[in-house]
Amino acid sequence: MKAKHILTCAAALWCLIASHAQTIQVTTSETDLFMKVSPAGRLYQVYLGEKLANPSDAEHLDWPVYPSSDGSVSERGWEVYACSGNEDFFEPALAMQHSDGNLTTRLYYESHEQKAVEGGTETVIRLRDKAYPVAVTLHYVAYTKENVIKTWSEIVHSEKKPVTLSAYASTMLYFGADKYFLTEFSSDWAREAQMSSQQLQYGKKVIDTKLGSRAAMHTHPFFELGIGGEVEEQQGTVLMGTLGWTGNFRFTFEVDNVGNLRLLPGINPYASLYQLKPNEVFTTPEFIFTLSNKGTSKGSRNLHEWARNWSLKDGHGNRLTLLNNWENTAFDFNQDILASLMKEAKKLGVDMFLLDDGWFANGKHERKDDHAGLGDWDVNHAKLPQGLPALCNAADEAGVKFGIWIEPEMVNPNSELFEKHPEWAITLPNRETYYYRNQLVLDLANPKVQDYVYSVVDNIMKADPRIAFFKWDCNSPITNVYSPYLNQHQHQLYIDHIRGLYNVMRRVKEHYPDVPMMLCSGGGARCDYEALKYFTEFWCSDNTDPVERCYIQWGFSQFFPSKAMCAHVTSWNKRASVKFRTDVASMCKLGFDMGLKDLTDDEIKYCQTAVANWKRLQPCILDGVQYRLISPYDTNHMALNYVSADKSKAVLFAYDLHPRFKEMLRNVKLQGLDASKRYMVKEINLMPNAQPTLEADGKIFSGDYLMKVGINVFSATELTSHVVEITAQ
Ligand code: DGJ
């Protein structure tokens, strides 16, 4: 009893002192993050949640007091950037070995400031160790309107010798709730963005990758965290977070002894004990998150808007519809074949022809398949004797733009580049080499290699400035993990490699700011918001089976706007009609990858109509607001609608994937319309001579009715799709 009394008094005194301490607020239109400096000068998270209506209430906020068994009250709380070796016995954000061998770091608040930046307010907080010359600067950019917070950290020291970093999270966030649920996005080639959920219990759940490049092949750098309950589409509190890092990443979720949860997102320190030199600044990647109290649906819309406004390359620009040749010809083409495909592109009505892999390398290294030629970016004379200008001429004649595929970070050992510069490839000097897709990864830590990779883009643009688009591929993880350039500093390989990659991407964007680029990695193994600063869009998956695509696109749509997601109509799953395949691709940035010879006249006419519709509705589909309505994960169907910013136009997409016998087909209720407006419902994307099958077709409804009662757009026939244009009268 006595001990309990002492504990209560001590806690009360502590709270009294603490309530007068310095408080820092990071705030958006809907979220508040409050931090407070303790009397001892340490910085604690005191609140992360729905925005407080009365800012003055913040004075009551305190970090949780952790009782000790002896009745004393310790400093242990939700330390904002907890370091190893202190009162907290769980996972730290920062762990370093000082040059004298000491493994502890203790950070104290020094100062902070807030300033207006593009889109919001940046809070910069400086922390410093008193015993060692180590400083950490925490950055938080709060995007007010979009309710998104972007945060990262900088670590620096002025010890006499390098220190070794073994943990360097981008940030650290805490939650106190009875239950936590995690939705993760596992992946593999042709199985990207597969969603699964689990409850988090005591201990750690780690999502990480060790692939180096093609780094998100097995799991993607984003997650959804249900706080207090399961992750749900339309309700509940969910934190949706993503790391802007194209290399190895790690998310750690740890539930501690009293049921609090901490989240640590950052670079994966695996095989990366970072030797930080005196005065060198270690900048972590950006962690971007939104906290939604209305489920993932709202959270996704926050992120979509943020991405288009502040992050994605050319976030407000249009996107080019295209015809690609990879699924159609693979490596087997020549000038004439491509010229006729360009005419097919024109016939379809798309904007561009995109030439894929196989157009480069000569002689014994000729790229006939994926065994040779990567690294030798001269046009293949046998296939394309008149080079890139002739292709651009053919595109001009056909009346389409011309885009081209590259994979500039890689080399086939069977190439002139490798013969000339074997030291430019990441490979082990003293072991047998193993290959992934017969290739090796170039050593981007080496500035000379960075220059070379940049020159791949630059030379192509110089060969013909009419080149209007790049598809930048990356098909191999880092194998034979040894950088000839880094010598004794192999522990920096995974990090310096990605920093080198960004140096190249930055340079490309600086020199060619208006050239749109597709980020591709053997499908969708690169899908992060740092790379997407340099790319207008990404390739979601080589799996273009429209049924599978419904799941994949549903998954990626959680974090990315449709504008960033490329979807092509191909011959995968011929059981599905061309209409169904096209309707699925039309939810995202539309493209084709098939020959018109595979289509009937009616199918070609259908595609022409669908392309024209898509282009007309592009402002609504790519720039509008997305509402996911019916999940393929929960039902046998899928539906979503987009609404233009002024609510004058909406497009509804509905798919019957695998309906069951005698299944009850319920109306789909639209979202995001203006309840007081009246809308005309019209089914579009119909096969020639087909009549609309929807009962609602041609009728006018109020927005209120469409959202409360809805319309019947599902059928009992599998692989049926409907695209519905909804126009305010
Ligand atoms: C993998 C990509 O995902 C495909 O679209 C295609 O470009 C091939 N690489 C070419 O090698």
Side-chain angles (χ1 to χ4, degrees):
M1 272 308 270
K2 206 175 159 206
K4 198 174 166 202
H5 181 70
I6 294 169
L7 176 66
T8 317
C9 293
L13 183 66
W14 190 266
C15 292
L16 194 69
I17 300 167
S19 66
H20 295 292
Q22 174 103 46
T23 302
I24 304 167
Q25 180 186 19
V26 173
T27 187
T28 71
S29 52
E30 288 170 49
T31 302
D32 268 334
L33 167 62
F34 281 100
M35 294 163 264
K36 208 163 192 172
V37 183
S38 78
R42 310 269 289 274
L43 185 67
Y44 294 99
Q45 178 187 313
V46 290
Y47 183 79
L48 171 59
E50 194 171 352
K51 193 178 177 72
L52 299 184
N54 307 303
S56 61
D57 286 344
E59 72 180 61
H60 306 300
L61 293 169
D62 269 308
W63 51 91
V65 176
Y66 282 71
S68 303
S69 46
D70 66 357
S72 64
V73 176
S74 79
E75 263 267 317
R76 187 182 163 205
W78 289 356
E79 189 158 24
V80 166
Y81 202 68
C83 303
S84 63
N86 296 312
E87 315 82 353
D88 180 85
F89 301 106
F90 292 86
E91 196 66 24
L94 177 67
M96 75 166 64
Q97 181 166 39
H98 299 277
S99 45
D100 65 359
N102 190 326
L103 289 164
T104 69
T105 301
R106 191 171 297 170
L107 296 173
Y108 295 85
Y109 169 85
E110 195 178 58
S111 66
H112 80 279
E113 72 208 21
Q114 294 188 310
K115 56 185 183 213
V117 292
E118 267 207 329
T121 305
E122 179 171 1
T123 303
V124 181
I125 306 172
R126 289 183 199 84
L127 309 172
R128 187 173 288 281
D129 195 344
K130 289 182 183 165
Y132 288 85
V134 170
V136 171
T137 307
L138 309 175
H139 296 260
Y140 301 84
V141 177
Y143 294 89
T144 320
K145 184 162 76 73
E146 296 87 356
N147 185 26
V148 166
I149 296 175
K150 181 171 92 178
T151 169
W152 72 99
S153 306
E154 288 163 347
I155 305 157
V156 68
H157 74 94
S158 55
E159 297 187 19
K160 292 214 165 57
K161 291 196 208 129
V163 304
T164 305
L165 305 180
S166 56
Y168 28 80
S170 290
T171 192
M172 193 158 179
L173 297 172
Y174 300 83
F175 308 88
D178 292 336
K179 287 179 192 159
Y180 312 98
F181 288 84
L182 176 69
T183 296
E184 58 184 306
F185 296 78
S186 64
S187 175
D188 206 337
W189 178 77
R191 263 185 70 76
E192 287 85 347
Q194 303 293 308
M195 299 170 69
S196 62
S197 298
Q198 61 185 266
Q199 187 167 1
L200 297 175
Q201 306 285 5
Y202 175 83
K204 277 193 283 192
K205 158 80 186 172
V206 170
I207 301 174
D208 73 346
T209 164
K210 302 182 178 76
L211 292 143
S213 66
R214 197 174 174 172
M217 179 157 61
H218 298 148
T219 185
H220 299 309
F222 39 85
F223 64 85
E224 297 171 342
L225 187 64
I227 299 152
E230 289 185 24
V231 175
E232 290 190 58
E233 182 74 25
Q234 306 291 352
Q235 61 192 25
T237 303
V238 59
L239 180 129
M240 299 170 68
T242 177
L243 191 77
W245 185 246
T246 316
N248 295 343
F249 61 86
R250 185 173 80 175
F251 297 127
T252 305
F253 306 85
E254 187 172 31
V255 179
D256 68 14
N257 55 324
V258 296
N260 289 325
L261 170 71
R262 69 186 57 196
L263 156 66
L264 298 122
I267 296 176
N268 189 355
Y270 162 78
S272 300
L273 290 174
Y274 200 92
Q275 303 278 304
L276 188 66
K277 294 189 217 56
N279 302 315
E280 178 189 345
V281 180
F282 184 97
T283 305
T284 71
E286 295 169 351
F287 176 65
I288 299 124
F289 71 93
T290 184
L291 187 65
S292 161
N293 289 310
K294 295 191 191 84
T296 50
S297 179
K298 178 71 173 65
S300 296
R301 287 194 290 280
N302 295 344
L303 291 165
H304 296 171
E305 213 187 327
W306 169 81
R308 284 182 301 224
N309 287 344
W310 309 113
S311 196
L312 184 64
K313 180 176 172 183
D314 198 18
H316 288 285
N318 276 343
R319 295 293 182 265
L320 298 168
T321 51
L322 59 83
L323 176 67
N324 192 191
N325 70 314
W326 174 244
E327 293 289 334
N328 184 7
T329 67
F331 296 94
D332 191 13
F333 55 79
N334 58 32
Q335 169 79 25
D336 291 344
I337 293 174
L338 298 183
S340 75
L341 288 178
M342 291 172 191
K343 289 186 188 135
E344 293 192 0
K346 183 65 184 174
K347 189 164 178 190
L348 276 172
V350 296
D351 303 305
M352 180 175 63
F353 172 73
L354 170 62
L355 171 57
D356 214 283
D357 196 351
W359 59 268
F360 51 90
N362 286 293
K364 63 179 176 164
H365 305 303
E366 189 178 1
R367 187 137 174 104
K368 291 192 209 125
D369 53 33
D370 60 18
H371 285 78
L374 277 180
D376 300 348
W377 295 99
D378 291 328
V379 174
N380 179 282
H381 307 311
K383 292 183 198 175
L384 304 166
Q386 290 125 31
L388 295 179
L391 288 171
C392 291
N393 290 342
D396 281 350
E397 272 162 36
V400 291
K401 291 178 190 274
F402 176 67
I404 199 159
W405 177 97
I406 51 172
E407 192 179 4
E409 301 154 67
M410 303 284 162
V411 64
N412 284 122
N414 189 354
S415 67
E416 263 178 44
L417 182 74
F418 191 74
E419 281 171 7
K420 219 160 121 197
H421 285 296
E423 80 288 3
W424 280 7
I426 294 182
T427 192
L428 281 155
N430 53 355
R431 293 186 196 280
E432 214 174 297
T433 309
Y434 65 101
Y435 298 98
Y436 196 101
R437 211 195 191 206
N438 317 301
Q439 61 199 56
L440 294 172
V441 180
L442 289 174
D443 188 3
L444 280 163
N446 183 344
K448 283 198 184 127
V449 176
Q450 293 172 25
D451 287 346
Y452 160 79
V453 175
Y454 169 73
S455 78
V456 173
V457 177
D458 197 38
N459 290 341
I460 291 173
M461 288 308 291
K462 283 183 178 141
D464 201 312
R466 287 174 292 176
I467 306 245
F469 186 89
F470 282 89
K471 173 179 177 183
W472 180 317
D473 208 345
C474 161
N475 283 296
S476 178
I478 295 181
T479 54
N480 313 284
V481 191
Y482 184 89
S483 155
Y485 176 76
L486 287 172
N487 292 317
Q488 300 304 306
H489 299 279
Q490 295 303 316
H491 43 268
Q492 298 193 189
L493 186 156
Y494 284 125
I495 296 177
D496 288 0
H497 182 79
I498 298 300
R499 289 182 176 160
L501 174 67
Y502 293 147
N503 286 343
V504 178
M505 290 178 175
R506 205 172 297 123
R507 230 164 125 185
V508 169
K509 190 176 169 186
E510 269 162 28
H511 285 85
Y512 301 105
D514 302 325
V515 179
M517 302 219 171
M518 182 202 290
L519 182 64
C520 171
S521 184
R526 274 185 171 171
C527 46
D528 69 89
Y529 273 118
E530 186 61 30
L532 285 171
K533 288 178 182 170
Y534 310 105
F535 288 81
T536 46
E537 55 216 77
F538 71 96
W539 180 231
C540 299
S541 178
D542 282 348
N543 190 337
T544 43
D545 172 334
V547 174
E548 292 299 327
R549 268 290 179 143
C550 281
Y551 294 87
I552 292 168
Q553 291 170 194
W554 186 271
F556 279 124
S557 79
Q558 310 285 314
F559 284 84
F560 301 100
S562 52
K563 173 169 263 185
M565 292 166 51
C566 299
H568 295 175
V569 184
T570 73
S571 302
W572 283 52
N573 192 353
K574 286 205 178 115
R575 266 188 348 106
S577 65
V578 168
K579 169 176 164 54
F580 188 88
R581 286 180 253 161
T582 310
D583 287 354
V584 170
S586 295
M587 272 188 279
C588 299
K589 201 215 85 164
L590 176 64
F592 289 79
D593 194 351
M594 64 200 309
L596 295 195
K597 64 177 178 339
D598 297 332
L599 303 179
T600 64
D601 285 350
D602 273 359
E603 285 170 338
I604 292 174
K605 273 191 207 137
Y606 162 81
C607 289
Q608 290 166 333
T609 310
V611 169
N613 281 337
W614 190 91
K615 284 183 164 181
R616 186 170 53 78
L617 296 169
Q618 175 171 180
C620 186
I621 297 171
L622 296 195
D623 293 309
V625 187
Q626 185 193 67
Y627 296 85
R628 288 184 301 263
L629 306 172
I630 304 290
S631 166
Y633 280 89
D634 300 337
T635 71
N636 305 321
H637 309 265
M638 171 170 163
L640 55 79
N641 73 259
Y642 296 96
V643 182
S644 64
D646 65 0
K647 299 186 187 232
S648 65
K649 179 74 83 185
V651 186
L652 168 67
F653 293 93
Y655 311 94
D656 303 303
L657 302 177
H658 28 68
R660 302 287 305 274
F661 176 66
K662 286 189 94 178
E663 178 191 325
M664 180 71 196
L665 298 171
R666 303 202 184 277
N667 276 3
V668 169
K669 297 174 192 168
L670 280 87
Q671 291 182 25
L673 302 175
D674 182 337
S676 63
K677 282 194 163 91
R678 295 183 67 71
Y679 292 92
M680 163 67 85
V681 169
K682 189 171 173 351
E683 184 171 4
I684 58 168
N685 281 16
L686 294 165
M687 284 296 284
N689 307 319
Q691 295 306 312
T693 53
L694 297 181
E695 236 179 80
D697 181 72
K699 295 189 182 151
I700 293 177
F701 301 88
S702 71
D704 183 62
Y705 181 93
L706 290 171
M707 293 192 289
K708 288 183 180 158
V709 181
I711 53 175
N712 187 1
V713 283
F714 289 142
S715 83
T717 312
E718 69 170 344
L719 304 180
T720 305
S721 56
H722 293 285
V723 181
V724 186
E725 183 173 352
I726 295 161
T727 312
Q729 300 301 291

Coordinates of all heavy atoms in Angstrom, one line a residue, residues 41 48 90 121 131 133 145 150 195 198 200 218 261 335 352 374 377 404 412 480 509 522 532 536 549 612 619 639 661:
G41 N 15.4 17.2 -19.7 CA 15.9 17.6 -21.0 C 15.7 16.6 -22.1 O 16.2 16.8 -23.2
L48 N -0.1 11.2 -30.3 CA -0.2 11.1 -31.8 C -1.6 10.6 -32.0 O -2.0 9.5 -31.6 CB 0.8 10.1 -32.3 CG 0.6 9.7 -33.8 CD1 0.7 10.9 -34.7 CD2 1.7 8.7 -34.2
F90 N 13.7 -1.7 -25.0 CA 13.1 -2.3 -26.2 C 13.9 -1.7 -27.4 O 15.0 -1.1 -27.2 CB 11.6 -2.0 -26.3 CG 10.9 -2.8 -25.2 CD1 10.7 -2.4 -23.9 CD2 10.4 -4.1 -25.5 CE1 10.1 -3.1 -23.0 CE2 9.8 -4.9 -24.6 CZ 9.6 -4.4 -23.3
T121 N 4.3 22.8 -43.1 CA 5.2 23.3 -42.1 C 6.2 22.3 -41.8 O 5.9 21.2 -41.5 CB 4.4 23.7 -40.9 OG1 3.3 24.6 -41.3 CG2 5.2 24.4 -39.8
A131 N 27.5 13.6 -23.3 CA 28.8 12.9 -23.0 C 29.7 12.7 -24.2 O 30.9 12.6 -24.1 CB 28.5 11.6 -22.3
P133 N 30.2 14.0 -28.5 CA 29.8 15.1 -29.5 C 29.0 14.4 -30.7 O 29.4 14.3 -31.8 CB 31.2 15.6 -30.0 CG 32.1 14.4 -29.9 CD 31.6 13.7 -28.7
K145 N -3.2 20.2 -45.6 CA -4.4 19.9 -46.3 C -4.6 18.4 -46.5 O -5.6 17.8 -46.3 CB -4.4 20.6 -47.6 CG -5.7 20.5 -48.4 CD -5.8 21.5 -49.5 CE -4.9 21.3 -50.7 NZ -5.3 20.3 -51.6
K150 N 5.7 13.8 -43.3 CA 6.9 13.2 -43.8 C 8.0 13.5 -42.8 O 8.2 14.6 -42.4 CB 7.2 13.9 -45.1 CG 8.4 13.4 -45.9 CD 8.5 14.0 -47.2 CE 9.3 15.3 -47.3 NZ 9.4 15.8 -48.6
M195 N -2.2 -8.5 -50.1 CA -2.5 -8.0 -48.8 C -2.8 -9.1 -47.8 O -3.6 -10.0 -48.1 CB -3.7 -7.0 -48.8 CG -3.4 -5.8 -49.7 SD -4.8 -4.8 -50.0 CE -5.1 -4.1 -48.4
Q198 N -2.7 -9.4 -39.7 CA -2.5 -10.2 -38.5 C -2.5 -9.3 -37.3 O -2.2 -8.1 -37.4 CB -1.2 -10.9 -38.5 CG 0.0 -10.0 -38.6 CD 1.3 -10.8 -38.8 OE1 2.0 -11.0 -37.8 NE2 1.7 -11.1 -40.0
L200 N -1.0 -8.0 -33.9 CA 0.4 -7.9 -33.3 C 0.3 -8.2 -31.8 O -0.6 -7.7 -31.1 CB 1.0 -6.5 -33.4 CG 1.2 -6.1 -34.9 CD1 1.7 -4.6 -35.0 CD2 2.2 -7.0 -35.6
H218 N 10.1 -9.1 -52.7 CA 9.3 -10.0 -51.8 C 8.4 -9.3 -50.8 O 7.5 -10.0 -50.3 CB 10.3 -10.8 -51.0 CG 11.2 -11.7 -51.8 ND1 12.5 -12.0 -51.5 CD2 11.0 -12.3 -53.0 CE1 13.0 -12.8 -52.5 NE2 12.1 -12.9 -53.4
L261 N 2.8 0.0 -28.3 CA 3.5 -0.4 -29.6 C 4.4 0.7 -30.0 O 4.1 1.9 -30.0 CB 2.4 -0.6 -30.6 CG 2.9 -0.8 -32.1 CD1 3.6 -2.2 -32.2 CD2 1.7 -0.7 -33.1
Q335 N 13.3 -3.2 -87.8 CA 12.8 -1.8 -88.0 C 11.3 -1.9 -88.6 O 10.4 -1.2 -88.2 CB 13.7 -1.1 -89.0 CG 13.2 0.2 -89.6 CD 13.3 1.4 -88.7 OE1 14.1 1.4 -87.8 NE2 12.4 2.3 -88.9
M352 N 1.7 6.8 -77.8 CA 3.1 6.5 -78.0 C 3.3 5.0 -78.2 O 2.5 4.1 -77.8 CB 3.8 6.8 -76.6 CG 5.2 6.6 -76.6 SD 5.9 7.2 -75.0 CE 5.1 6.1 -73.9
L374 N 23.6 -6.6 -72.0 CA 23.3 -5.5 -71.0 C 24.6 -4.8 -70.7 O 25.6 -5.4 -70.4 CB 22.7 -6.0 -69.7 CG 21.3 -6.4 -69.7 CD1 20.9 -6.9 -68.3 CD2 20.4 -5.1 -69.9
W377 N 25.0 -0.2 -74.9 CA 23.8 0.5 -75.3 C 23.8 1.1 -76.7 O 23.2 2.2 -76.9 CB 23.4 1.5 -74.2 CG 23.1 0.8 -72.9 CD1 23.9 0.6 -71.9 CD2 21.9 0.1 -72.6 NE1 23.3 -0.2 -70.9 CE2 22.0 -0.5 -71.4 CE3 20.7 -0.1 -73.3 CZ2 21.1 -1.3 -70.8 CZ3 19.7 -0.9 -72.7 CH2 19.9 -1.5 -71.5
I404 N 11.4 4.3 -75.0 CA 12.4 3.3 -75.1 C 12.7 2.7 -73.7 O 12.7 3.4 -72.7 CB 13.7 3.8 -75.8 CG1 14.5 2.6 -76.3 CG2 14.5 4.7 -74.9 CD1 15.5 3.0 -77.5
N412 N 25.6 -7.7 -68.4 CA 25.8 -9.1 -68.6 C 27.3 -9.3 -68.7 O 28.0 -8.6 -69.3 CB 25.2 -9.6 -70.0 CG 23.7 -9.7 -69.9 OD1 23.0 -9.0 -70.7 ND2 23.1 -10.5 -69.1
N480 N 26.4 -11.8 -55.2 CA 27.9 -11.8 -55.1 C 28.3 -10.5 -54.4 O 29.1 -9.7 -54.9 CB 28.6 -11.9 -56.4 CG 28.0 -13.0 -57.3 OD1 28.2 -14.1 -57.0 ND2 27.1 -12.6 -58.2
K509 N 16.9 13.7 -64.0 CA 15.7 14.7 -63.8 C 16.1 16.1 -64.1 O 15.4 16.9 -64.7 CB 15.1 14.5 -62.4 CG 13.8 15.2 -62.3 CD 13.1 15.0 -61.0 CE 11.9 15.9 -60.8 NZ 11.4 15.8 -59.4
G522 N 11.5 -5.8 -62.9 CA 11.0 -7.1 -63.1 C 9.6 -7.2 -62.7 O 9.2 -8.1 -61.9
L532 N 10.0 7.7 -56.9 CA 9.0 8.3 -57.7 C 9.1 9.8 -57.7 O 8.3 10.5 -58.4 CB 7.6 7.9 -57.2 CG 7.2 6.4 -57.6 CD1 6.0 6.0 -56.9 CD2 7.0 6.3 -59.1
T536 N 7.5 9.3 -63.3 CA 6.1 9.8 -63.4 C 5.2 8.6 -63.1 O 4.0 8.9 -62.8 CB 5.8 10.3 -64.8 OG1 6.3 9.3 -65.8 CG2 6.4 11.6 -65.1
R549 N -4.7 -8.9 -61.7 CA -4.5 -7.4 -61.7 C -5.5 -6.7 -60.8 O -5.1 -5.7 -60.2 CB -4.6 -6.9 -63.1 CG -3.3 -6.8 -63.8 CD -2.4 -5.8 -63.2 NE -1.1 -5.7 -63.8 CZ -0.5 -4.5 -64.0 NH1 -1.0 -3.4 -63.7 NH2 0.7 -4.5 -64.5
A612 N -10.3 6.1 -76.5 CA -10.9 7.5 -76.6 C -11.6 7.9 -75.3 O -11.5 9.0 -74.8 CB -11.8 7.6 -77.8
P619 N -8.9 13.2 -66.8 CA -8.9 14.1 -65.7 C -9.6 13.5 -64.4 O -9.3 13.8 -63.3 CB -9.6 15.3 -66.2 CG -9.6 15.2 -67.7 CD -9.5 13.8 -68.0
A639 N -15.3 -3.3 -57.2 CA -15.8 -2.0 -57.8 C -15.1 -0.8 -57.1 O -14.8 -0.9 -56.0 CB -17.4 -1.9 -57.6
F661 N -22.8 -19.6 -57.5 CA -24.1 -20.0 -58.0 C -25.1 -19.3 -57.0 O -25.0 -19.4 -55.8 CB -24.2 -21.5 -58.0 CG -25.5 -22.0 -58.3 CD1 -26.1 -21.9 -59.5 CD2 -26.3 -22.7 -57.3 CE1 -27.3 -22.4 -59.8 CE2 -27.5 -23.2 -57.6 CZ -28.0 -23.0 -58.9

